[in-house]
Amino acid sequence: MKNVLIGLLIVAAGTGAFFLLRKKKNSDVKNEINKEWIAGKWKADAGKDSAFSSYQYDFLKDGNIIRSVSDSVKADTLHYEWNKVNELVWKEKADDSTGKTFSVVKLTQDSLQVQSKDSLLILFTKLK
């Protein structure tokens, strides 16, 4: 009887360790972002109250963002960079020491979803 109990405890501990290690491995993979997918022209949707939605954004590989109203020739230049924990830092000027930080919820070849620290959720859709 004791041997059966000890055997069951060993099996339970092994199973628990397996699932714990498997969960940790999957969460590490989830944090990997293909940062090259951000390059291109995007349209933002952040709800009706957000100023983000009225612009088109062209993310360049050099860290610049060209922001323009879709029917206007006038454009602003902003800057972005990735921090150590794969968050997107949005800056008005490249040499600014701080900027607005966004957690990347999802980044695929045709969509980018970010969330600000104040819980504003922005969905960017790539323009063709």
Side-chain angles (χ1 to χ4, degrees):
M1 185 68 171
K2 285 183 181 180
N3 290 340
V4 172
L5 232 74
I6 292 172
L8 287 174
L9 286 174
I10 291 172
V11 169
T15 303
F18 170 77
F19 284 111
L20 182 66
L21 291 173
R22 185 173 177 198
K23 181 179 177 183
K24 181 177 174 148
K25 182 179 178 184
N26 287 342
S27 68
D28 289 345
V29 170
K30 186 178 178 183
N31 288 336
E32 293 180 20
I33 296 173
N34 189 345
K35 296 174 185 174
E36 293 177 4
W37 284 348
I38 200 166
K41 293 185 181 191
W42 300 85
K43 177 75 176 153
D45 182 12
K48 297 185 187 307
D49 296 334
S50 176
F52 281 93
S53 297
S54 58
Y55 293 100
Q56 288 183 1
Y57 300 87
D58 190 0
F59 286 82
L60 306 175
K61 291 182 180 181
D62 65 0
N64 289 323
I65 305 169
I66 307 299
R67 178 177 67 181
S68 62
V69 179
S70 59
D71 60 351
S72 174
V73 182
K74 187 176 179 182
D76 297 333
T77 301
L78 305 168
H79 305 277
Y80 74 93
E81 64 183 38
W82 297 95
N83 66 12
K84 292 181 182 179
V85 291
N86 286 336
E87 292 176 324
L88 191 63
V89 181
W90 194 295
K91 300 178 177 186
E92 293 293 322
K93 298 179 183 176
D95 57 355
D96 286 348
S97 59
T98 60
K100 188 161 179 81
T101 303
F102 294 94
S103 298
V104 177
V105 177
K106 178 175 85 170
L107 175 58
T108 64
Q109 290 179 326
D110 58 356
S111 69
L112 166 65
Q113 188 171 25
V114 297
Q115 185 170 15
S116 68
K117 299 292 182 189
D118 58 356
S119 299
L120 174 65
L121 197 61
I122 305 167
L123 175 63
F124 291 91
T125 306
K126 190 160 269 187
L127 299 173
K128 303 282 177 178

